[in-house]
Amino acid sequence: MGKALFDRQLVAGHMIPTLYKHMCGWPCQFADLEQVDEEVYENLKKLLEMNPEEMEYCCLDFTVTEEVMDVKQEIELVPGGKDMDVTCDNLPEYMEATLQYKMMGRVKPQLNELLLGFFDVIPEPILTIFDFQELELLMCGLPEIDLDDWRDNTEYAGEFDRVGSNHDTVLWFWEVVEEFDHEMRARLLQFVTGTSGVPARGFAVLQGNDGNVRKFTVHGVDAGEFVYPRAHTCFNRIDLPLYRTKADLKQKLELAVTMVATGFDIE
């Protein structure tokens, strides 16, 4: 990959966003865990809502169980983790330790070799001028996005379930996407699906993180729930508030798409 980037050759395959973050030296966030292990991500979110008594019933400690070659292994997230019970007080430390293990610890040898090989060709300081989304576009190029195919293979849910593509907000959404240049369309696709890659057979076979076909979905929500659009990359879904004007929709969508690379929650 480093040689291809050095020689200005495009890489056909796309990687998950966290790998581009590692290459840029960006920290991984809790939301990134959803793309790697959705089940663990959802279970950790549930722990945040538990009271001390419910947490005790879970009987959790600072370990994880991995199965390698049909052999189960218990791995400590921190030294002495098997003797440390998870409580409401140390839950943040447990979540951070789990995140570090899932995103880096379990693949540390492979990740180290990948980065050492890449930085041997492309010095790490050079990449600091890019965010992780720009790095993907730099390595893989801007995709040729067939807007008609994208629109024809989009599903609608929530507030748009009945009216679908005829809803005013949906009509504004596609008008805004038409006005976007190639880079902004690619960034929108990255924002919602986690990658700028388009399947060779088109959006009809767009896949989720589980490998199953999950079409691009526009999910309508009440504007009072949140101000900016939100993405669920596991489901290729964007939650789009019911804005009052097209101009408001365009402004909020552009901010959401461009600010995601900063690592800050614009809410």
Side-chain angles (χ1 to χ4, degrees), residues 137-148:
L137 295 176
L138 184 65
M139 293 178 63
C140 303
L142 287 173
E144 288 294 331
I145 299 177
D146 186 335
L147 194 55
D148 291 332

Side-chain angles (χ1 to χ4, degrees), residues 171-180 246 249-250 253:
L171 293 173
W172 292 337
F173 172 78
W174 289 117
E175 288 175 6
V176 169
V177 175
E178 285 183 6
E179 295 169 6
F180 282 168
K246 174 184 171 182
L249 185 153
K250 183 176 183 179
L253 182 61

